[in-house]
């Protein structure tokens, strides 16, 4: 029996970014919080999500949507670290 579990991309990003450690400078935190996906990409995510909800995604579109979701998760890790850093800098 294989007891190995597959490490997810989100787990790797979490260990790399360490969103629970607020060690960014004020300037770095501010810049990380400005990061956003483009309007074009946000629209594409909406289109793909609608297709997914109606069961109409092709395999290629499913991979594309997963890529967008992976980027979104990484972005949220960055922003969590930035928000924590801002709160730590406000205290010190």
């Amino acid at each position: 029996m294989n007891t190995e579990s597959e490490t997810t991309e989100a787990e790797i990003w979490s260990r790399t970014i360490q969103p629970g450690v607020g060690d960014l400078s004020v300037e770095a935190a501010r810049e990380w919080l400005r990061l956003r996906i483009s309007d074009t990409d946000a629209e594409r995510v909406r289109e793909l999500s609608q297709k997914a909800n109606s069961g109409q995604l092709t395999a290629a579109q499913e991979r594309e949507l997963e890529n967008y979701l992976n980027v979104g998760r990484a972005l949220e890790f960055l922003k969590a670290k930035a928000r924590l850093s801002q709160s730590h800098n406000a205290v010190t």
Side-chain angles (χ1 to χ4, degrees), residues 2-3 8 10 13 28-29 33 36 43 55-56 59-60 65 67 82 86 88:
N2 187 355
T3 59
T8 67
W13 274 116
L33 288 169
R36 305 251 185 289
E43 179 57 31
Q56 298 177 354
L65 180 56
N67 289 338
Q86 282 187 328
H88 282 186

Side-chain angles (χ1 to χ4, degrees), residues 5-16:
S5 64
E6 185 176 319
T7 301
T8 67
E9 189 173 331
E11 290 168 333
I12 297 166
W13 274 116
S14 182
R15 288 192 301 268
T16 301

Side-chain angles (χ1 to χ4, degrees), residues 36-69:
R36 305 251 185 289
I37 65 169
S38 72
D39 290 343
T40 301
D41 287 330
E43 179 57 31
R44 182 64 177 155
V45 170
R46 281 189 288 277
E47 291 170 7
L48 292 170
S49 294
Q50 287 174 349
K51 283 186 168 191
N53 289 337
S54 63
Q56 298 177 354
L57 273 186
T58 66
Q61 290 170 330
E62 188 173 336
R63 286 189 302 275
E64 182 182 4
L65 180 56
E66 187 60 31
N67 289 338
Y68 280 114
L69 295 175

